[in-house]
Amino acid sequence: MQEDLAIKIEHISKCYRIGLKEKMHDSIASAIADFVRSPIRNYRNYRSLYRFDQMRPGDGADSSDVIWALNDVSFEVKKGQVIGIIGGNGAGKSTILKILSKITDPTYGCAEIRGRVSSLLEVGTGFHPDLTGRENVYLNATILGMKKREVDRKFDDIVDFSGIEKFIDTPVKRYSSGMKVRLAFSVAAHLEPEILIVDEVLSVGDADFQKKSLSKMENIGQEGRTVLFVSHSMSAISRLCDRAILLSHGKVVADGPADQVVSAYLNASSGTAAARVWSDPQDAPTGPAVRLRAVRVRDEGGNVSETHDIRQPVRLEMEYDVLRSGHVLLPHFTVLNDRGQCAFITLDQDPEWRGKPRQEGRYTSTAVIPGNLLAEGMFYVSCYCLTLNPDSKQFNERSAVAFYVSDNLDGDSARGDYAKKLGGVVRPLLKWTTQFYPNGNKPADRALEHDPLSGRSA
Ligand SMILES: Nc1ncnc2c1ncn2[C@@H]1O[C@H](COP(=O)(O)OP(=O)(O)OP(=O)(O)O)[C@@H](O)[C@H]1O
Ligand SMILES: [Mg+2]
């Protein structure tokens, strides 16, 4: 393995056998005979669970009790890289982390790892329920190869970071899952591992802790150590990782800069991209007077982009040809979220063109959605055009493009410090004020005693 590599995975496949069915018996005699033979059958079943030598990925397709959790996965990770692994449920993300943490072996292929690994895979693994938090910290650290003196030195930092000092002498079985994750992450992150592996678990912690642990991982990366991080939060992945690997059905389908891979994943799952261009006019949605040629979602800088920070404006652009002069046009967009709820419809209001007949030729119309308006999530944009007086539909392209709004935990969007799931189609940043009346002495209601916007009293 090259000097600068921390991890090298070559052609790894992992096969699981699932659900061997019980046989039904039609007579007592057959049930008794089967009972007598069962130790031999159980032994064969047991052996077959671990024997895959006759099988290769692909053959498994015809065997219904076999799952290829990973199928010929190869990649390398340089020292000091912070890598995100993303993909749908069952894509094989946790399986890779388990192989790298030596919790399970690959069926084929090999993984080389250089450096001390510390991993956090599932809530509560590695903790003994009857031991106290303090005892578990020592137990875990020792298993990971630390001397007692080293642990003594770091103990206060670990407990401090976890924020559970009050419960440190309570048996871990009395902890909530959030408390377990706090302590487990804290131990994993303070052992100064050369490679830190973290699976999703952080989502169990509260907002504060999620923020804290994300910045801790960021620091670990900046100190030149390697981090492998699995998450379903695309915001966390884009923020934390330089590179991301997208898995689908056990295979690597994208590997590259995190933002690009996140976009590829969101596109693949929505089936719609941020730009759609009809280069052949024959295929383009059209009416007798106007033909659509392209729809694009751009960021403030004018780049076509699938992912947008919630605080930044998003530009929707439609490009169309007017085929016959003399019509007044009404281009408009409809924006829906991924539950099909309409966020808004917006009509072209450009005073330059409002009510004016247009000449033949190419046009682009752009609508700017301000920052801090839409909620986080996927949005689908439909693109319409009417000609007026008399009204006549020209084109109507549903879900022409899509984009994703991400809401990071930076504290200055409408979610503030609240990290959990927030509903709603829009998430405007509103001005809030709260009045306090000591002893409940609220003055009698007048129209508006205190105008919160101007700050002036009425
Ligand atoms: N111990 C096991 N026995 C049988 N099948 C398993 C086992 N562990 C995982 N699998 C299967 O392997 C596949 C990949 O699972 P894995 O846990 O790696 O997915 P994941 O990408 O982490 O998904 P999620 O996002 O839901 O956590 C799944 O189809 C899963 O059912
Ligand atoms: Mg998983």
mmCIF file of all heavy atoms in Angstrom, residues 61-108:
data_model
loop_
_atom_site.group_PDB
_atom_site.id
_atom_site.type_symbol
_atom_site.label_atom_id
_atom_site.label_comp_id
_atom_site.label_asym_id
_atom_site.label_seq_id
_atom_site.Cartn_x
_atom_site.Cartn_y
_atom_site.Cartn_z
ATOM 1 N N ALA A 61 -28.133 -14.158 -7.729
ATOM 2 C CA ALA A 61 -29.417 -13.657 -8.173
ATOM 3 C C ALA A 61 -30.473 -14.749 -8.216
ATOM 4 O O ALA A 61 -31.637 -14.507 -7.930
ATOM 5 C CB ALA A 61 -29.265 -13.037 -9.555
ATOM 6 N N ASP A 62 -30.047 -16.003 -8.538
ATOM 7 C CA ASP A 62 -31.068 -17.041 -8.617
ATOM 8 C C ASP A 62 -31.267 -17.752 -7.287
ATOM 9 O O ASP A 62 -32.132 -18.587 -7.157
ATOM 10 C CB ASP A 62 -30.748 -18.052 -9.735
ATOM 11 C CG ASP A 62 -29.286 -18.067 -10.077
ATOM 12 O OD1 ASP A 62 -28.526 -18.707 -9.329
ATOM 13 O OD2 ASP A 62 -28.930 -17.373 -11.048
ATOM 14 N N SER A 63 -30.462 -17.420 -6.303
ATOM 15 C CA SER A 63 -30.649 -18.050 -5.011
ATOM 16 C C SER A 63 -31.379 -17.062 -4.093
ATOM 17 O O SER A 63 -30.841 -16.037 -3.725
ATOM 18 C CB SER A 63 -29.272 -18.405 -4.447
ATOM 19 O OG SER A 63 -29.405 -18.754 -3.115
ATOM 20 N N SER A 64 -32.630 -17.427 -3.731
ATOM 21 C CA SER A 64 -33.470 -16.440 -3.068
ATOM 22 C C SER A 64 -33.045 -16.174 -1.626
ATOM 23 O O SER A 64 -33.428 -15.192 -1.030
ATOM 24 C CB SER A 64 -34.920 -16.900 -3.104
ATOM 25 O OG SER A 64 -34.983 -18.146 -2.445
ATOM 26 N N ASP A 65 -32.227 -17.085 -1.034
ATOM 27 C CA ASP A 65 -31.859 -16.861 0.363
ATOM 28 C C ASP A 65 -30.508 -16.163 0.505
ATOM 29 O O ASP A 65 -29.908 -16.164 1.559
ATOM 30 C CB ASP A 65 -31.873 -18.189 1.136
ATOM 31 C CG ASP A 65 -30.869 -19.178 0.598
ATOM 32 O OD1 ASP A 65 -30.368 -18.935 -0.532
ATOM 33 O OD2 ASP A 65 -30.576 -20.171 1.283
ATOM 34 N N VAL A 66 -30.016 -15.570 -0.578
ATOM 35 C CA VAL A 66 -28.716 -14.924 -0.520
ATOM 36 C C VAL A 66 -28.838 -13.443 -0.870
ATOM 37 O O VAL A 66 -29.546 -13.065 -1.781
ATOM 38 C CB VAL A 66 -27.751 -15.629 -1.505
ATOM 39 C CG1 VAL A 66 -26.601 -14.726 -1.870
ATOM 40 C CG2 VAL A 66 -27.241 -16.911 -0.897
ATOM 41 N N ILE A 67 -28.150 -12.602 -0.075
ATOM 42 C CA ILE A 67 -28.124 -11.166 -0.369
ATOM 43 C C ILE A 67 -26.678 -10.741 -0.543
ATOM 44 O O ILE A 67 -25.828 -11.071 0.296
ATOM 45 C CB ILE A 67 -28.717 -10.359 0.803
ATOM 46 C CG1 ILE A 67 -30.221 -10.402 0.755
ATOM 47 C CG2 ILE A 67 -28.259 -8.916 0.769
ATOM 48 C CD1 ILE A 67 -30.838 -9.542 1.823
ATOM 49 N N TRP A 68 -26.387 -10.062 -1.632
ATOM 50 C CA TRP A 68 -25.043 -9.478 -1.783
ATOM 51 C C TRP A 68 -25.111 -8.051 -1.246
ATOM 52 O O TRP A 68 -25.522 -7.147 -1.937
ATOM 53 C CB TRP A 68 -24.602 -9.502 -3.247
ATOM 54 C CG TRP A 68 -24.299 -10.895 -3.692
ATOM 55 C CD1 TRP A 68 -25.130 -11.731 -4.363
ATOM 56 C CD2 TRP A 68 -23.095 -11.621 -3.433
ATOM 57 N NE1 TRP A 68 -24.522 -12.950 -4.552
ATOM 58 C CE2 TRP A 68 -23.273 -12.911 -3.989
ATOM 59 C CE3 TRP A 68 -21.901 -11.329 -2.785
ATOM 60 C CZ2 TRP A 68 -22.277 -13.891 -3.911
ATOM 61 C CZ3 TRP A 68 -20.917 -12.315 -2.714
ATOM 62 C CH2 TRP A 68 -21.111 -13.582 -3.267
ATOM 63 N N ALA A 69 -24.702 -7.902 0.017
ATOM 64 C CA ALA A 69 -24.755 -6.576 0.642
ATOM 65 C C ALA A 69 -23.731 -5.658 -0.007
ATOM 66 O O ALA A 69 -23.942 -4.454 -0.112
ATOM 67 C CB ALA A 69 -24.489 -6.697 2.131
ATOM 68 N N LEU A 70 -22.582 -6.240 -0.449
ATOM 69 C CA LEU A 70 -21.587 -5.471 -1.195
ATOM 70 C C LEU A 70 -21.184 -6.303 -2.390
ATOM 71 O O LEU A 70 -21.050 -7.527 -2.287
ATOM 72 C CB LEU A 70 -20.349 -5.186 -0.339
ATOM 73 C CG LEU A 70 -20.549 -4.263 0.851
ATOM 74 C CD1 LEU A 70 -19.260 -4.192 1.659
ATOM 75 C CD2 LEU A 70 -20.961 -2.872 0.397
ATOM 76 N N ASN A 71 -20.983 -5.646 -3.523
ATOM 77 C CA ASN A 71 -20.719 -6.371 -4.738
ATOM 78 C C ASN A 71 -19.562 -5.705 -5.490
ATOM 79 O O ASN A 71 -19.747 -4.712 -6.169
ATOM 80 C CB ASN A 71 -22.009 -6.347 -5.575
ATOM 81 C CG ASN A 71 -21.932 -7.236 -6.778
ATOM 82 O OD1 ASN A 71 -20.850 -7.616 -7.207
ATOM 83 N ND2 ASN A 71 -23.083 -7.550 -7.335
ATOM 84 N N ASP A 72 -18.351 -6.223 -5.264
ATOM 85 C CA ASP A 72 -17.160 -5.755 -5.966
ATOM 86 C C ASP A 72 -16.902 -4.257 -5.742
ATOM 87 O O ASP A 72 -16.899 -3.461 -6.677
ATOM 88 C CB ASP A 72 -17.303 -6.053 -7.465
ATOM 89 C CG ASP A 72 -15.939 -5.985 -8.153
ATOM 90 O OD1 ASP A 72 -14.924 -6.042 -7.445
ATOM 91 O OD2 ASP A 72 -15.912 -5.856 -9.385
ATOM 92 N N VAL A 73 -16.693 -3.911 -4.482
ATOM 93 C CA VAL A 73 -16.454 -2.507 -4.124
ATOM 94 C C VAL A 73 -14.955 -2.261 -3.975
ATOM 95 O O VAL A 73 -14.270 -3.002 -3.270
ATOM 96 C CB VAL A 73 -17.173 -2.174 -2.795
ATOM 97 C CG1 VAL A 73 -16.729 -0.816 -2.266
ATOM 98 C CG2 VAL A 73 -18.673 -2.218 -2.995
ATOM 99 N N SER A 74 -14.438 -1.257 -4.664
ATOM 100 C CA SER A 74 -13.028 -0.882 -4.525
ATOM 101 C C SER A 74 -12.929 0.626 -4.356
ATOM 102 O O SER A 74 -13.600 1.356 -5.073
ATOM 103 C CB SER A 74 -12.223 -1.243 -5.778
ATOM 104 O OG SER A 74 -12.338 -2.603 -6.072
ATOM 105 N N PHE A 75 -12.141 1.075 -3.417
ATOM 106 C CA PHE A 75 -11.757 2.491 -3.355
ATOM 107 C C PHE A 75 -10.582 2.682 -2.403
ATOM 108 O O PHE A 75 -10.250 1.782 -1.630
ATOM 109 C CB PHE A 75 -12.938 3.405 -2.986
ATOM 110 C CG PHE A 75 -13.579 3.157 -1.649
ATOM 111 C CD1 PHE A 75 -13.040 3.693 -0.484
ATOM 112 C CD2 PHE A 75 -14.747 2.394 -1.558
ATOM 113 C CE1 PHE A 75 -13.655 3.485 0.744
ATOM 114 C CE2 PHE A 75 -15.360 2.180 -0.331
ATOM 115 C CZ PHE A 75 -14.808 2.718 0.823
ATOM 116 N N GLU A 76 -9.942 3.816 -2.541
ATOM 117 C CA GLU A 76 -8.812 4.130 -1.676
ATOM 118 C C GLU A 76 -9.096 5.418 -0.932
ATOM 119 O O GLU A 76 -9.800 6.280 -1.452
ATOM 120 C CB GLU A 76 -7.553 4.346 -2.522
ATOM 121 C CG GLU A 76 -7.056 3.078 -3.169
ATOM 122 C CD GLU A 76 -5.854 3.315 -4.077
ATOM 123 O OE1 GLU A 76 -5.551 4.502 -4.348
ATOM 124 O OE2 GLU A 76 -5.250 2.326 -4.487
ATOM 125 N N VAL A 77 -8.589 5.527 0.272
ATOM 126 C CA VAL A 77 -8.767 6.752 1.039
ATOM 127 C C VAL A 77 -7.395 7.251 1.470
ATOM 128 O O VAL A 77 -6.610 6.496 2.058
ATOM 129 C CB VAL A 77 -9.632 6.506 2.292
ATOM 130 C CG1 VAL A 77 -9.808 7.797 3.070
ATOM 131 C CG2 VAL A 77 -10.983 5.923 1.907
ATOM 132 N N LYS A 78 -7.104 8.504 1.151
ATOM 133 C CA LYS A 78 -5.806 9.076 1.544
ATOM 134 C C LYS A 78 -5.851 9.471 3.009
ATOM 135 O O LYS A 78 -6.920 9.793 3.547
ATOM 136 C CB LYS A 78 -5.523 10.321 0.709
ATOM 137 C CG LYS A 78 -5.194 10.022 -0.729
ATOM 138 C CD LYS A 78 -4.189 11.067 -1.226
ATOM 139 C CE LYS A 78 -3.621 10.679 -2.566
ATOM 140 N NZ LYS A 78 -4.493 10.989 -3.682
ATOM 141 N N LYS A 79 -4.683 9.492 3.632
ATOM 142 C CA LYS A 79 -4.595 9.953 5.021
ATOM 143 C C LYS A 79 -5.123 11.373 5.094
ATOM 144 O O LYS A 79 -4.808 12.193 4.239
ATOM 145 C CB LYS A 79 -3.143 9.952 5.471
ATOM 146 C CG LYS A 79 -2.652 8.591 5.854
ATOM 147 C CD LYS A 79 -1.227 8.679 6.389
ATOM 148 C CE LYS A 79 -0.672 7.277 6.551
ATOM 149 N NZ LYS A 79 0.785 7.269 6.580
ATOM 150 N N GLY A 80 -5.940 11.667 6.129
ATOM 151 C CA GLY A 80 -6.424 13.033 6.335
ATOM 152 C C GLY A 80 -7.650 13.390 5.508
ATOM 153 O O GLY A 80 -8.138 14.504 5.610
ATOM 154 N N GLN A 81 -8.161 12.454 4.734
ATOM 155 C CA GLN A 81 -9.389 12.766 3.989
ATOM 156 C C GLN A 81 -10.603 12.572 4.889
ATOM 157 O O GLN A 81 -10.603 11.691 5.747
ATOM 158 C CB GLN A 81 -9.526 11.825 2.785
ATOM 159 C CG GLN A 81 -9.041 12.454 1.493
ATOM 160 C CD GLN A 81 -9.380 11.624 0.266
ATOM 161 O OE1 GLN A 81 -9.571 10.409 0.325
ATOM 162 N NE2 GLN A 81 -9.429 12.289 -0.865
ATOM 163 N N VAL A 82 -11.623 13.416 4.680
ATOM 164 C CA VAL A 82 -12.889 13.229 5.383
ATOM 165 C C VAL A 82 -13.903 12.798 4.331
ATOM 166 O O VAL A 82 -14.223 13.561 3.427
ATOM 167 C CB VAL A 82 -13.338 14.526 6.079
ATOM 168 C CG1 VAL A 82 -14.655 14.312 6.808
ATOM 169 C CG2 VAL A 82 -12.276 14.993 7.062
ATOM 170 N N ILE A 83 -14.364 11.549 4.448
ATOM 171 C CA ILE A 83 -15.171 10.956 3.386
ATOM 172 C C ILE A 83 -16.571 10.635 3.878
ATOM 173 O O ILE A 83 -16.742 10.077 4.964
ATOM 174 C CB ILE A 83 -14.503 9.650 2.914
ATOM 175 C CG1 ILE A 83 -13.167 10.018 2.312
ATOM 176 C CG2 ILE A 83 -15.382 8.898 1.939
ATOM 177 C CD1 ILE A 83 -12.800 9.242 1.130
ATOM 178 N N GLY A 84 -17.561 10.982 3.087
ATOM 179 C CA GLY A 84 -18.942 10.642 3.413
ATOM 180 C C GLY A 84 -19.375 9.454 2.573
ATOM 181 O O GLY A 84 -19.019 9.369 1.399
ATOM 182 N N ILE A 85 -20.112 8.548 3.185
ATOM 183 C CA ILE A 85 -20.670 7.434 2.413
ATOM 184 C C ILE A 85 -22.177 7.583 2.453
ATOM 185 O O ILE A 85 -22.772 7.674 3.536
ATOM 186 C CB ILE A 85 -20.213 6.078 2.982
ATOM 187 C CG1 ILE A 85 -18.684 6.022 2.909
ATOM 188 C CG2 ILE A 85 -20.823 4.924 2.204
ATOM 189 C CD1 ILE A 85 -18.088 4.734 3.360
ATOM 190 N N ILE A 86 -22.789 7.680 1.266
ATOM 191 C CA ILE A 86 -24.238 7.902 1.218
ATOM 192 C C ILE A 86 -24.909 6.830 0.362
ATOM 193 O O ILE A 86 -24.238 6.086 -0.354
ATOM 194 C CB ILE A 86 -24.592 9.319 0.688
ATOM 195 C CG1 ILE A 86 -24.023 9.552 -0.710
ATOM 196 C CG2 ILE A 86 -24.070 10.379 1.622
ATOM 197 C CD1 ILE A 86 -24.432 10.901 -1.318
ATOM 198 N N GLY A 87 -26.223 6.788 0.420
ATOM 199 C CA GLY A 87 -26.979 5.802 -0.346
ATOM 200 C C GLY A 87 -28.257 5.460 0.393
ATOM 201 O O GLY A 87 -28.380 5.742 1.583
ATOM 202 N N GLY A 88 -29.189 4.843 -0.308
ATOM 203 C CA GLY A 88 -30.490 4.517 0.280
ATOM 204 C C GLY A 88 -30.376 3.432 1.348
ATOM 205 O O GLY A 88 -29.299 2.881 1.583
ATOM 206 N N ASN A 89 -31.495 3.109 1.984
ATOM 207 C CA ASN A 89 -31.515 2.054 3.002
ATOM 208 C C ASN A 89 -31.120 0.728 2.354
ATOM 209 O O ASN A 89 -31.602 0.405 1.270
ATOM 210 C CB ASN A 89 -32.909 1.908 3.623
ATOM 211 C CG ASN A 89 -33.302 3.122 4.436
ATOM 212 O OD1 ASN A 89 -34.337 3.715 4.210
ATOM 213 N ND2 ASN A 89 -32.456 3.506 5.362
ATOM 214 N N GLY A 90 -30.241 0.003 3.025
ATOM 215 C CA GLY A 90 -29.829 -1.302 2.514
ATOM 216 C C GLY A 90 -28.789 -1.236 1.403
ATOM 217 O O GLY A 90 -28.490 -2.243 0.766
ATOM 218 N N ALA A 91 -28.212 -0.059 1.165
ATOM 219 C CA ALA A 91 -27.244 0.089 0.064
ATOM 220 C C ALA A 91 -25.908 -0.585 0.376
ATOM 221 O O ALA A 91 -25.143 -0.894 -0.535
ATOM 222 C CB ALA A 91 -27.021 1.574 -0.232
ATOM 223 N N GLY A 92 -25.640 -0.809 1.669
ATOM 224 C CA GLY A 92 -24.383 -1.477 2.038
ATOM 225 C C GLY A 92 -23.423 -0.590 2.815
ATOM 226 O O GLY A 92 -22.283 -0.983 3.078
ATOM 227 N N LYS A 93 -23.890 0.595 3.231
ATOM 228 C CA LYS A 93 -23.012 1.548 3.908
ATOM 229 C C LYS A 93 -22.479 0.987 5.221
ATOM 230 O O LYS A 93 -21.272 0.981 5.464
ATOM 231 C CB LYS A 93 -23.773 2.862 4.191
ATOM 232 C CG LYS A 93 -24.401 3.472 2.964
ATOM 233 C CD LYS A 93 -25.169 4.733 3.294
ATOM 234 C CE LYS A 93 -26.381 4.536 4.183
ATOM 235 N NZ LYS A 93 -27.480 3.750 3.580
ATOM 236 N N SER A 94 -23.399 0.499 6.065
ATOM 237 C CA SER A 94 -22.960 -0.012 7.374
ATOM 238 C C SER A 94 -22.083 -1.242 7.196
ATOM 239 O O SER A 94 -21.172 -1.476 7.993
ATOM 240 C CB SER A 94 -24.164 -0.368 8.241
ATOM 241 O OG SER A 94 -24.974 0.760 8.419
ATOM 242 N N THR A 95 -22.367 -2.035 6.149
ATOM 243 C CA THR A 95 -21.563 -3.240 5.929
ATOM 244 C C THR A 95 -20.101 -2.864 5.666
ATOM 245 O O THR A 95 -19.186 -3.496 6.208
ATOM 246 C CB THR A 95 -22.149 -4.068 4.759
ATOM 247 O OG1 THR A 95 -23.526 -4.284 5.023
ATOM 248 C CG2 THR A 95 -21.433 -5.374 4.594
ATOM 249 N N ILE A 96 -19.873 -1.827 4.868
ATOM 250 C CA ILE A 96 -18.486 -1.393 4.624
ATOM 251 C C ILE A 96 -17.824 -0.985 5.931
ATOM 252 O O ILE A 96 -16.705 -1.388 6.225
ATOM 253 C CB ILE A 96 -18.455 -0.181 3.658
ATOM 254 C CG1 ILE A 96 -18.759 -0.664 2.269
ATOM 255 C CG2 ILE A 96 -17.109 0.543 3.729
ATOM 256 C CD1 ILE A 96 -18.097 0.114 1.177
ATOM 257 N N LEU A 97 -18.541 -0.189 6.740
ATOM 258 C CA LEU A 97 -17.942 0.274 7.994
ATOM 259 C C LEU A 97 -17.647 -0.905 8.923
ATOM 260 O O LEU A 97 -16.645 -0.912 9.624
ATOM 261 C CB LEU A 97 -18.854 1.287 8.692
ATOM 262 C CG LEU A 97 -19.177 2.565 7.926
ATOM 263 C CD1 LEU A 97 -19.782 3.602 8.857
ATOM 264 C CD2 LEU A 97 -17.940 3.155 7.260
ATOM 265 N N LYS A 98 -18.537 -1.925 8.900
ATOM 266 C CA LYS A 98 -18.313 -3.088 9.772
ATOM 267 C C LYS A 98 -17.087 -3.866 9.306
ATOM 268 O O LYS A 98 -16.335 -4.391 10.132
ATOM 269 C CB LYS A 98 -19.537 -4.002 9.754
ATOM 270 C CG LYS A 98 -20.649 -3.479 10.649
ATOM 271 C CD LYS A 98 -21.822 -4.433 10.612
ATOM 272 C CE LYS A 98 -23.061 -3.783 11.182
ATOM 273 N NZ LYS A 98 -24.285 -4.428 10.669
ATOM 274 N N ILE A 99 -16.886 -3.962 7.988
ATOM 275 C CA ILE A 99 -15.703 -4.671 7.490
ATOM 276 C C ILE A 99 -14.443 -3.902 7.885
ATOM 277 O O ILE A 99 -13.475 -4.489 8.372
ATOM 278 C CB ILE A 99 -15.795 -4.871 5.958
ATOM 279 C CG1 ILE A 99 -16.887 -5.906 5.651
ATOM 280 C CG2 ILE A 99 -14.453 -5.310 5.384
ATOM 281 C CD1 ILE A 99 -17.187 -6.098 4.184
ATOM 282 N N LEU A 100 -14.469 -2.582 7.745
ATOM 283 C CA LEU A 100 -13.289 -1.780 8.091
ATOM 284 C C LEU A 100 -13.013 -1.803 9.588
ATOM 285 O O LEU A 100 -11.876 -1.674 10.019
ATOM 286 C CB LEU A 100 -13.460 -0.334 7.615
ATOM 287 C CG LEU A 100 -13.426 -0.163 6.097
ATOM 288 C CD1 LEU A 100 -13.743 1.269 5.725
ATOM 289 C CD2 LEU A 100 -12.076 -0.581 5.525
ATOM 290 N N SER A 101 -14.073 -1.972 10.388
ATOM 291 C CA SER A 101 -13.877 -2.039 11.843
ATOM 292 C C SER A 101 -13.619 -3.467 12.298
ATOM 293 O O SER A 101 -13.594 -3.733 13.493
ATOM 294 C CB SER A 101 -15.109 -1.505 12.577
ATOM 295 O OG SER A 101 -15.575 -0.337 12.002
ATOM 296 N N LYS A 102 -13.508 -4.387 11.361
ATOM 297 C CA LYS A 102 -13.215 -5.814 11.621
ATOM 298 C C LYS A 102 -14.298 -6.491 12.458
ATOM 299 O O LYS A 102 -14.027 -7.421 13.205
ATOM 300 C CB LYS A 102 -11.854 -5.962 12.305
ATOM 301 C CG LYS A 102 -10.714 -5.400 11.465
ATOM 302 C CD LYS A 102 -9.424 -6.119 11.785
ATOM 303 C CE LYS A 102 -8.353 -5.901 10.762
ATOM 304 N NZ LYS A 102 -7.814 -4.536 10.697
ATOM 305 N N ILE A 103 -15.527 -6.022 12.316
ATOM 306 C CA ILE A 103 -16.632 -6.670 13.014
ATOM 307 C C ILE A 103 -17.121 -7.838 12.184
ATOM 308 O O ILE A 103 -17.640 -8.811 12.691
ATOM 309 C CB ILE A 103 -17.749 -5.643 13.281
ATOM 310 C CG1 ILE A 103 -17.273 -4.699 14.364
ATOM 311 C CG2 ILE A 103 -19.061 -6.305 13.685
ATOM 312 C CD1 ILE A 103 -18.195 -3.565 14.633
ATOM 313 N N THR A 104 -16.955 -7.724 10.881
ATOM 314 C CA THR A 104 -17.320 -8.837 10.014
ATOM 315 C C THR A 104 -16.275 -8.936 8.901
ATOM 316 O O THR A 104 -15.587 -7.957 8.615
ATOM 317 C CB THR A 104 -18.749 -8.640 9.461
ATOM 318 O OG1 THR A 104 -19.105 -9.790 8.727
ATOM 319 C CG2 THR A 104 -18.857 -7.436 8.548
ATOM 320 N N ASP A 105 -16.147 -10.129 8.312
ATOM 321 C CA ASP A 105 -15.170 -10.317 7.231
ATOM 322 C C ASP A 105 -15.852 -10.232 5.886
ATOM 323 O O ASP A 105 -17.007 -10.618 5.753
ATOM 324 C CB ASP A 105 -14.542 -11.709 7.337
ATOM 325 C CG ASP A 105 -13.625 -11.802 8.530
ATOM 326 O OD1 ASP A 105 -12.975 -10.791 8.831
ATOM 327 O OD2 ASP A 105 -13.588 -12.881 9.161
ATOM 328 N N PRO A 106 -15.129 -9.783 4.853
ATOM 329 C CA PRO A 106 -15.727 -9.820 3.526
ATOM 330 C C PRO A 106 -15.778 -11.266 3.013
ATOM 331 O O PRO A 106 -14.992 -12.101 3.448
ATOM 332 C CB PRO A 106 -14.773 -8.986 2.676
ATOM 333 C CG PRO A 106 -13.485 -8.966 3.404
ATOM 334 C CD PRO A 106 -13.790 -9.170 4.856
ATOM 335 N N THR A 107 -16.726 -11.566 2.130
ATOM 336 C CA THR A 107 -16.792 -12.891 1.519
ATOM 337 C C THR A 107 -15.665 -13.020 0.490
ATOM 338 O O THR A 107 -15.023 -14.052 0.386
ATOM 339 C CB THR A 107 -18.160 -13.078 0.829
ATOM 340 O OG1 THR A 107 -19.166 -12.630 1.721
ATOM 341 C CG2 THR A 107 -18.405 -14.517 0.456
ATOM 342 N N TYR A 108 -15.460 -11.979 -0.276
ATOM 343 C CA TYR A 108 -14.320 -11.894 -1.200
ATOM 344 C C TYR A 108 -13.632 -10.560 -1.013
ATOM 345 O O TYR A 108 -14.222 -9.632 -0.481
ATOM 346 C CB TYR A 108 -14.785 -11.937 -2.663
ATOM 347 C CG TYR A 108 -15.446 -13.208 -3.023
ATOM 348 C CD1 TYR A 108 -16.815 -13.237 -3.235
ATOM 349 C CD2 TYR A 108 -14.708 -14.377 -3.163
ATOM 350 C CE1 TYR A 108 -17.442 -14.409 -3.559
ATOM 351 C CE2 TYR A 108 -15.338 -15.553 -3.486
ATOM 352 C CZ TYR A 108 -16.707 -15.567 -3.687
ATOM 353 O OH TYR A 108 -17.327 -16.717 -4.002
#
